[in-house]
Amino acid sequence: MGTAKQTGPSSGGRDRPDATASALPVELRSVSKSFAGIKVVSNVSFDIRPGEVHALMGENGAGKSTLIKIMAGLHQADEGEILVNGKAVKFASPKDAHAAGIATVHQELLLFPELTVAENIFLGQTPKTGAGLIDWATMRRKARDLLNSLDSHDLDIDQKVASLSVGNRQRIEIARALAQDARVLIMDEPTAALAEADVQRLMAIVRNLCARGVAIIYVSHRMPEIFALANRVTVLRDGQHVGTRPVTEVDEAKLVSMMVGRSIDRLYPAKQGTDGDVILELKDVSHNRVVRNVSLALRRGEILGLAGLVGSGRTETALTIFGITPATSGEILIDGKVTPIASPEAARDLGIAYVPEDRGQQGLIKAQTIEENIALANLKRLMRGFFVDARRVTDEAAKAIARFGIRARGPKQVVRQLSGGNQQKVVLGKWLATNPRILIMDEPTRGIDVGAKAEIHLLMRKLAGEGMAILMISSELPEVLGMSDRVLVMSGGTVTAEFTKAEATAEAVGAEMTRTRTPEIAA
Amino acid sequence: MMSARLLRHETILAVLTVIALFVLAMLSDKFFTGENLLNQGRLMSEVGLVALAMTFVIVTGGIDLSVGSILGLTAILLGVFWKYLGLPLPAAIVLAMACGTFAGWVNGWIITRFNVPPLIATLATLALYRGLAEGISEARSVRGYPEWFFFFGQGEVLGVPFQLWILGIATVIAAVILGLTPFGRATYAIGANEVAARFSGIRVNATKLWIYSAAGFLSALAAVIFVSRVTTTRSDMGTGLELDVITGVVLGGTSIFGGRGTIIGTVLGLILIQALKNGLALSGVKGDGTIVVIGLVLIGAILVGALFDRNRGG
Amino acid sequence: MSASASIAPPGRSAFQRFLSGYGQEIVVFLSIIFLFVVVGAINPRFLSDTNINSIFAGNAYIAVAAIGMSMIIMAGHIDVSVGALIGVIATIAGTLAVNGYPVWIAWLVPIIFSMAVNAGVGALVAYTRIPSIVVTLGMLSILKGGLISATAGAWITNMPAEFMIAQMRPFGIPSAVYFMVALTILASFFIKYTDFGRSIYAVGGNMEAARAAGINPERVVVGVFALHGFFAGVAGILFATQLQVIQSTVPPNLELTVITASVIGGVSILGGTGTVIGSTLAAILFACIGSALIFLNVSAYWLRAVLGLMILATVLADMARRRRAK
C-alpha cells in the first residue's frame, strides 16, 4: 500500500476515448431502493463506459453495497431503471445479471472450498459434452487458458480452493467473471484483505482487463488505489448521489468532503501528556514459526504503531501477548517482572485488553445485546455472591453507551443492529470496562466510516493521555503515521525496523514494510 | 430483547401444555388424578435428568448422542461391580457413576482437544459405550438387588416419588446455573460465538468439559434410578434415550444452533411430551401411536417458532 | 498432497489427481484388502464363498442407503430417520406383495413413497430453515410409531418367490451386489458429470455463494432429499427381500450404521466434500470387520465396541489431516 500511494496518474488504461452513448455497458437512471420503509438508495443515476475503472465511494451505510447488489441482481430496484447497452433490463436473480454481462467479485469471496479451481471458475455454466454431461477436459483446458491470460500461470487448476490464499481466490473469482464473458466487473473492496504483493498483482490485472474493454466498478476506501486506477469517481452519501467526477478533477480532501458532507481539516489528534515507564516488554518472544524473536517495549501513555503487511506477524504477536497463542519461547515482562501469559483470561487479569481485527467473529457476539457483550469480559467483577448482578450489568452498559457516545436504543439492543462504528465502540467499551493498563488495538478503524473513525482516534489519544499504553496494529499507513508516537515495522514474523515519530515518513515505513527479509517464510 | 423472544417461545409452550393437559383430562377421567400424574413424573425423571444437561450441551452449540449409551454402560457396570466383582452395592453405585461421568468427560475431551464436531464425536462414543456395555455384559442381565436399593426408583418421600425430588432439585440447580451465574453466561456466549467468547477471556474448553462431564454424570444418575425402578440390569438400557431427550430440549425452545434456550423451556417440553404419551395411551391410542404424535408436535412446534421469528423480521 | 502442492504444477497428472481426490477411499479399500489377507490367512473359512456372499449381499442395502446419506451430508444436512424409513418401506413392499399386487408395483410404490416423504422433509428443511436434524428426528418418531401401530409388530411371511429380488442370483452373484455396484457407479457418475451433482458440493460448501452463482439452493436440497429417498427406497426393497420374513419393526441402529459408513468413507460431516464410492467401501469394510471378528473367535458382543473405536480413530485421523493441511 505504501508504495502504491505515490505512483500517481501515470498508469495505463486512463486516456481511453469516450464511447458512444448507445454502447454504455451499464447505465443507472434514478434508481431507488427501500428496506422496511427506509430509503437506502435514493434516485441515483450514473453510467459506466467500456474499459474504464469507475470508482464507487462513500461512507459505510451510504448505499454502495445495496447499489452493487441491485446491479448484480441480488436486490431489485423499487424505482428507476437499469440500462444495458441502451436497453432497459430487469434482473430477477444473479443469473439475469450474469446473462447481461455483469459479474461481481464479492468482498467475502464466494467460492466453494471443496471444489477445484477449474470447477469454481465454471460453476453454473460448465462446458458440456454432446450428451449433456460435464466436459471435464474442456473445462480444465479453458480454465488453464483463462488463468494464463490473467498471468496466473502458477495456479494449479486441479487444486481444491480450500488450500488457497486470499489473493489466489480473488484471481479465481476474476477468472470466473471472465468465463461469463463479463463486460462489467464489480469489485467490492478487492484489496481489503490482500497483502501488498497481491495488491500490486491485482492492479496489474485490473489494467489488463480494462485494456480488453472490460469496465470495472471499483468500490474501495483506499484513496491511493482510487487515484492510481480510476478514470472516474462516483460518490454516494446517505443513499444520495453526490456526484460523478473524472479523477483528475478531484483530490483526496475533495473526495472526503464529498463523502462526509463537510471537510475534515484535522484527521489525527495531537499527542497529549508525556510517556511514562515501560509497562510491557517482550524479549525474544516466539510462537512456533509465525512469531520469531520479537522484542519490543511499550510505555505508559504512548501509542506504539505496529506496521507491516498482512501475514508479517503483527496480529500473531498481539495474539501471543494476549495468550491466545502463548509464547513458545522468550520472555514477556510486565512492570519489569517476567510474566508468562497462558490464556486470554490470564492476559485480561493482568490488565491487558485486545480489540481484535475481526470485529464480527472475534470481537462481538452479534446475536447478543450490548450489555451481554460488555459483561462478558467483566463477569467476575459484576457478581454478587455466586450470581451475575443483572442491574450492574445494565448500569455498566449504560455507562459505556454514554461515555463513548454509542448510538443505540439502550443497553438491551442487539449488537447486530448497530453500525460498524458503534459496534467497534461496544468492543472498546467491553475492554475498557476491565480497567486495562495495556490496550492492543488491531485494525481499530477497519470498515468504519470517516466520522466514527475520527471519534475513535480522538478516544485513543485521550486514553493515552490518561496513561494507557496502546499498541496499535494497522494496515492503513496514514493511520499508522498519524496516530503513532513510535512505529515498529514487522516482516517475516519479526521486528525489522523502528522509527520515531519524526523519522516515520510514508516512504521510509512503506519501503521497510515491503522489503522481504525472509523469503523462506513465503514457501 | 433476547430474553423477550425466549419468553415468547416459552409462553407458547406453556399455553400448549395447558391446552394439552385440559384436552387429555377431558378425554380420560383417569388422567388428571394425583396418582397418575405422580406416576408420570416417575417415568419422566430419567429423561428429565439427562435433558437438563443436554440443554447446556445444545446451548453451547453441541449435541450429545451418547447419553443413552452412557446410561446403558453405567447400568451394566453397576451390576458387574456388585455381582461379579463382589463390591458392596453402595461402592458399586459410586464407582459406576464415576465411570459414567468419566465417559462424559471423554466426550468433552475428544471435542475440545481434537476439535471433532460433537455430532460425530458422540456418534462414535454412542457406538463405543454401547459396545462396551454389550461386551462386558455378554448379554447377561443382573438381578437380585437388595430391597433397599429399590427405594431410588420406586420409593416415595412425602407421597412424592423419590426420583421426582431428585429431578426437582436438579432442575432448580440447573436453572440457577444457566440463568444467573457466570458459567451460564459463558455457556450462552460459547453457543452464540465461540471465538468471541474465547477472545473475551472465557475459558471455553474448560466450560465445555464441565458440561459434557455433567451430561455423563446425569446419565449415570438416571441409570441408577432406572435400574432401581425396573429391578434389573440389561445392556440395551437407554437405547434411543438421546432422541427423547433431544426432542424435549428442542421442543423446549433451545436452538439447535446454540446460543439460545432455557431450563424452564426444557421442563415444559418434557412435561408436554410425557402428558401426550400418557394421555393418548389412556384415551385408547395404541402405545406407539403416541410416538407419531410426539414427532408431529416436535416439527409443528419448531415450525411455528420459525414462522414467528420470520414475521418478527429477525 | 504435500509433495504435489509444494511443486505447484499448472496441472497435475491424471494419476496424481486420482491420488489426491480419493485419499480416504484408498485407505478404506486397502483396509478391506488387508482384512481379507490377514483374516483369511488365520482362518481360511473367512474366504469361503458363503462368507464372502454374506458379507457383500447381506450388507448391500446398507451401502445403497449410504449413497443417499452421503449426498445428504455433502449438501450439509443429515437424516437420522433413514433406518425407520427403510423399515416402513420393507413393510409396505411386503404387504403389497403378499396381498397379490404385481411385483413391480410392490417394488415401485414403496420407492415412490420414500421419495415423496423425503422430498417433503427436504422442502421443510430448505424453505423453513428448520435444521435437518430436528426435522428428521421428528420423522423418526412418526415413521417408527406409525409402523409399529399399523402392524402391531406382526411379521410378514409367505411372500411370492418372484418378489424376492435380493435373493435372485444372475450369473451366480446375488442381485443385491449388482444393485450396490451399479448404483454406486451411477451415483458417482451423476455427481461428477452433472450440474446437479456438482451443485450438491456447492450448496454444502457455501450456500450463499451457490445462490450468487445462479444455483437455487432450496431446489438442490429438496432434490437431494428426494434422491436420498430413492436410495433408501431401493435399500428398503433389498432389505425386505433378502430374508424369508419381514419383521415389520425398525431395524435397530440402522441410521447410525448408514451415517457412519458415509463418514468413514470420507464424507465430512461439515458438508461440501466426500464421494459415494467411499461410503460404499466403508459399508463393506464394516461388514468385513463384523465377519472377521467372528472368524477370529472374538465374541460378537464386542463388535459394536470395535466399530465405535474405528469411527473414533477415523475421525481423529481426519481432524489431524485437516489440521496439517492448514
Side-chain angles (χ1 to χ4, degrees), chain A residues 88-112:
Chain A
V89 290
K90 281 247 181 294
F91 297 151
S93 72
K95 226 172 184 163
D96 295 346
H98 293 166
I102 302 175
T104 311
V105 176
H106 294 274
Q107 198 171 356
E108 60 286 357
L109 299 172
L110 297 179
L111 293 174
F112 306 97

Short mmCIF file of all heavy atoms in Angstrom, two decimals, chain A residues 88-112:
data_model
loop_
_atom_site.label_atom_id
_atom_site.label_comp_id
_atom_site.label_asym_id
_atom_site.label_seq_id
_atom_site.Cartn_x
_atom_site.Cartn_y
_atom_site.Cartn_z
N ALA A 88 -33.38 -1.18 -21.52
CA ALA A 88 -33.79 -1.35 -20.13
C ALA A 88 -33.88 -2.83 -19.80
O ALA A 88 -34.39 -3.62 -20.61
CB ALA A 88 -35.15 -0.67 -19.89
N VAL A 89 -33.35 -3.20 -18.63
CA VAL A 89 -33.40 -4.61 -18.23
C VAL A 89 -33.94 -4.72 -16.81
O VAL A 89 -33.91 -3.76 -16.04
CB VAL A 89 -31.99 -5.26 -18.28
CG1 VAL A 89 -31.54 -5.41 -19.70
CG2 VAL A 89 -31.01 -4.43 -17.47
N LYS A 90 -34.45 -5.89 -16.49
CA LYS A 90 -34.85 -6.19 -15.11
C LYS A 90 -34.11 -7.44 -14.69
O LYS A 90 -34.16 -8.45 -15.39
CB LYS A 90 -36.36 -6.47 -15.06
CG LYS A 90 -37.23 -5.24 -15.08
CD LYS A 90 -37.95 -5.07 -13.74
CE LYS A 90 -38.87 -3.85 -13.73
NZ LYS A 90 -38.11 -2.58 -13.82
N PHE A 91 -33.40 -7.38 -13.57
CA PHE A 91 -32.69 -8.55 -13.07
C PHE A 91 -33.50 -9.18 -11.94
O PHE A 91 -33.65 -8.59 -10.88
CB PHE A 91 -31.31 -8.17 -12.51
CG PHE A 91 -30.38 -7.59 -13.55
CD1 PHE A 91 -29.40 -6.69 -13.18
CD2 PHE A 91 -30.48 -7.98 -14.88
CE1 PHE A 91 -28.53 -6.16 -14.11
CE2 PHE A 91 -29.61 -7.45 -15.82
CZ PHE A 91 -28.63 -6.53 -15.44
N ALA A 92 -34.02 -10.37 -12.20
CA ALA A 92 -34.77 -11.04 -11.13
C ALA A 92 -33.83 -11.84 -10.24
O ALA A 92 -34.15 -12.14 -9.10
CB ALA A 92 -35.83 -11.96 -11.75
N SER A 93 -32.66 -12.20 -10.76
CA SER A 93 -31.73 -13.02 -9.99
C SER A 93 -30.32 -12.75 -10.51
O SER A 93 -30.15 -12.14 -11.56
CB SER A 93 -32.07 -14.51 -10.18
OG SER A 93 -31.70 -14.89 -11.49
N PRO A 94 -29.30 -13.22 -9.77
CA PRO A 94 -27.93 -13.04 -10.24
C PRO A 94 -27.73 -13.62 -11.64
O PRO A 94 -26.92 -13.13 -12.41
CB PRO A 94 -27.10 -13.81 -9.21
CG PRO A 94 -27.93 -13.83 -7.98
CD PRO A 94 -29.35 -13.85 -8.45
N LYS A 95 -28.48 -14.66 -11.95
CA LYS A 95 -28.35 -15.28 -13.26
C LYS A 95 -28.63 -14.28 -14.38
O LYS A 95 -27.93 -14.25 -15.39
CB LYS A 95 -29.34 -16.46 -13.34
CG LYS A 95 -28.71 -17.70 -13.92
CD LYS A 95 -29.64 -18.88 -13.82
CE LYS A 95 -28.92 -20.12 -14.31
NZ LYS A 95 -29.54 -21.35 -13.92
N ASP A 96 -29.67 -13.46 -14.19
CA ASP A 96 -30.01 -12.48 -15.21
C ASP A 96 -28.88 -11.48 -15.39
O ASP A 96 -28.57 -11.07 -16.51
CB ASP A 96 -31.30 -11.72 -14.81
CG ASP A 96 -32.49 -12.66 -14.77
OD1 ASP A 96 -32.37 -13.78 -15.29
OD2 ASP A 96 -33.53 -12.26 -14.21
N ALA A 97 -28.29 -11.06 -14.26
CA ALA A 97 -27.20 -10.10 -14.33
C ALA A 97 -26.02 -10.70 -15.07
O ALA A 97 -25.40 -10.05 -15.92
CB ALA A 97 -26.79 -9.67 -12.93
N HIS A 98 -25.72 -11.96 -14.78
CA HIS A 98 -24.63 -12.63 -15.49
C HIS A 98 -24.91 -12.65 -16.98
O HIS A 98 -24.03 -12.38 -17.79
CB HIS A 98 -24.48 -14.08 -15.00
CG HIS A 98 -24.04 -14.19 -13.58
ND1 HIS A 98 -24.10 -15.35 -12.87
CD2 HIS A 98 -23.52 -13.27 -12.75
CE1 HIS A 98 -23.65 -15.13 -11.64
NE2 HIS A 98 -23.30 -13.88 -11.55
N ALA A 99 -26.16 -12.96 -17.34
CA ALA A 99 -26.52 -13.04 -18.74
C ALA A 99 -26.32 -11.69 -19.42
O ALA A 99 -25.99 -11.62 -20.60
CB ALA A 99 -27.96 -13.51 -18.89
N ALA A 100 -26.50 -10.61 -18.66
CA ALA A 100 -26.33 -9.27 -19.21
C ALA A 100 -24.87 -8.83 -19.19
O ALA A 100 -24.55 -7.71 -19.55
CB ALA A 100 -27.19 -8.27 -18.44
N GLY A 101 -23.97 -9.72 -18.73
CA GLY A 101 -22.54 -9.41 -18.77
C GLY A 101 -22.03 -8.69 -17.55
O GLY A 101 -20.98 -8.06 -17.59
N ILE A 102 -22.78 -8.73 -16.45
CA ILE A 102 -22.33 -8.07 -15.22
C ILE A 102 -21.94 -9.13 -14.20
O ILE A 102 -22.74 -9.98 -13.84
CB ILE A 102 -23.43 -7.17 -14.63
CG1 ILE A 102 -23.84 -6.12 -15.67
CG2 ILE A 102 -22.94 -6.50 -13.35
CD1 ILE A 102 -25.00 -5.27 -15.23
N ALA A 103 -20.69 -9.11 -13.76
CA ALA A 103 -20.23 -10.08 -12.78
C ALA A 103 -19.67 -9.35 -11.57
O ALA A 103 -19.30 -8.18 -11.67
CB ALA A 103 -19.16 -10.99 -13.39
N THR A 104 -19.63 -10.04 -10.44
CA THR A 104 -19.20 -9.41 -9.20
C THR A 104 -18.09 -10.20 -8.53
O THR A 104 -18.16 -11.43 -8.48
CB THR A 104 -20.39 -9.32 -8.22
OG1 THR A 104 -21.51 -8.78 -8.90
CG2 THR A 104 -20.05 -8.43 -7.04
N VAL A 105 -17.08 -9.50 -8.05
CA VAL A 105 -16.09 -10.12 -7.17
C VAL A 105 -16.43 -9.63 -5.77
O VAL A 105 -16.22 -8.48 -5.44
CB VAL A 105 -14.66 -9.72 -7.54
CG1 VAL A 105 -13.66 -10.30 -6.56
CG2 VAL A 105 -14.34 -10.18 -8.95
N HIS A 106 -17.00 -10.52 -4.98
CA HIS A 106 -17.55 -10.09 -3.70
C HIS A 106 -16.47 -9.87 -2.66
O HIS A 106 -15.38 -10.42 -2.77
CB HIS A 106 -18.56 -11.11 -3.17
CG HIS A 106 -19.76 -11.22 -4.03
ND1 HIS A 106 -20.85 -10.40 -3.89
CD2 HIS A 106 -20.05 -12.04 -5.06
CE1 HIS A 106 -21.75 -10.72 -4.80
NE2 HIS A 106 -21.29 -11.72 -5.52
N GLN A 107 -16.82 -9.10 -1.65
CA GLN A 107 -15.88 -8.80 -0.57
C GLN A 107 -15.52 -10.07 0.19
O GLN A 107 -14.36 -10.39 0.37
CB GLN A 107 -16.53 -7.80 0.37
CG GLN A 107 -15.55 -7.09 1.25
CD GLN A 107 -16.23 -5.95 1.99
OE1 GLN A 107 -17.40 -5.67 1.78
NE2 GLN A 107 -15.50 -5.31 2.87
N GLU A 108 -16.56 -10.81 0.63
CA GLU A 108 -16.28 -12.11 1.20
C GLU A 108 -16.38 -13.08 0.02
O GLU A 108 -17.44 -13.27 -0.55
CB GLU A 108 -17.21 -12.48 2.36
CG GLU A 108 -18.68 -12.55 2.10
CD GLU A 108 -19.34 -11.20 1.94
OE1 GLU A 108 -18.69 -10.14 2.09
OE2 GLU A 108 -20.53 -11.18 1.64
N LEU A 109 -15.22 -13.59 -0.39
CA LEU A 109 -15.14 -14.29 -1.66
C LEU A 109 -16.08 -15.49 -1.68
O LEU A 109 -16.07 -16.30 -0.77
CB LEU A 109 -13.70 -14.73 -1.91
CG LEU A 109 -12.74 -13.55 -1.99
CD1 LEU A 109 -11.32 -14.03 -2.02
CD2 LEU A 109 -13.04 -12.67 -3.17
N LEU A 110 -16.89 -15.56 -2.73
CA LEU A 110 -17.92 -16.59 -2.77
C LEU A 110 -17.43 -17.79 -3.56
O LEU A 110 -17.80 -17.99 -4.70
CB LEU A 110 -19.19 -16.02 -3.40
CG LEU A 110 -19.83 -14.89 -2.60
CD1 LEU A 110 -21.05 -14.36 -3.30
CD2 LEU A 110 -20.19 -15.36 -1.20
N LEU A 111 -16.57 -18.56 -2.95
CA LEU A 111 -16.05 -19.73 -3.63
C LEU A 111 -16.42 -20.98 -2.86
O LEU A 111 -16.87 -20.93 -1.73
CB LEU A 111 -14.53 -19.63 -3.77
CG LEU A 111 -14.05 -18.52 -4.71
CD1 LEU A 111 -12.55 -18.42 -4.68
CD2 LEU A 111 -14.52 -18.77 -6.13
N PHE A 112 -16.17 -22.13 -3.50
CA PHE A 112 -16.53 -23.41 -2.91
C PHE A 112 -15.27 -24.15 -2.54
O PHE A 112 -14.55 -24.63 -3.42
CB PHE A 112 -17.39 -24.19 -3.91
CG PHE A 112 -18.56 -23.40 -4.36
CD1 PHE A 112 -18.51 -22.69 -5.55
CD2 PHE A 112 -19.67 -23.26 -3.56
CE1 PHE A 112 -19.57 -21.90 -5.94
CE2 PHE A 112 -20.73 -22.47 -3.94
CZ PHE A 112 -20.68 -21.80 -5.13
#
